[in-house]
Amino acid sequence: MADPFHVTRVANRTLDQVCRRVQNETLGHRGRKVDPLFRIRKLLLKGDERLDERGPDKMLAGRRFGDPTTRCSARGWPRNQ
């Protein structure tokens, strides 16, 4: 039996691992300040209701440029509340 906190924690950790792997495969190095996926890493884990008006646009642009294969998509994942 799993409670919502731990399910969300495992999902967030897995999403972070996938984004790191995609970042490394795409650019050949760990995330740096100027890399698109690294810049949106906290936005991917944030709940939709906690994003400001520019948040969804930033997230979409970061995913478009940082992950052309869309493997690092947060759609359908449990989100922090």
Side-chain angles (χ1 to χ4, degrees):
M1 183 124 189
D3 60 294
F5 171 77
H6 288 99
V7 170
T8 303
R9 185 172 141 205
V10 170
N12 287 345
R13 188 181 309 149
T14 304
L15 177 64
D16 193 44
Q17 289 171 351
V18 169
C19 287
R20 284 186 206 164
R21 186 177 66 237
V22 168
Q23 173 80 32
N24 201 4
E25 290 173 0
T26 304
L27 298 176
H29 58 76
R30 292 178 55 191
R32 296 185 182 146
K33 188 166 61 171
V34 296
D35 296 333
L37 280 180
F38 190 77
R39 293 177 79 179
I40 64 165
R41 69 192 184 283
K42 298 294 182 187
L43 290 176
L44 288 172
L45 301 178
K46 207 179 252 194
D48 292 334
E49 68 279 354
R50 302 180 106 193
L51 293 174
D52 62 357
E53 61 275 352
R54 294 183 348 201
D57 294 333
K58 283 182 183 177
M59 195 171 6
L60 184 62
R63 284 180 33 217
R64 185 180 305 133
F65 293 116
D67 182 20
T69 61
T70 64
R71 288 181 289 176
C72 190
S73 175
R75 294 278 174 219
W77 286 80
R79 306 289 287 270
N80 285 343
Q81 296 182 4

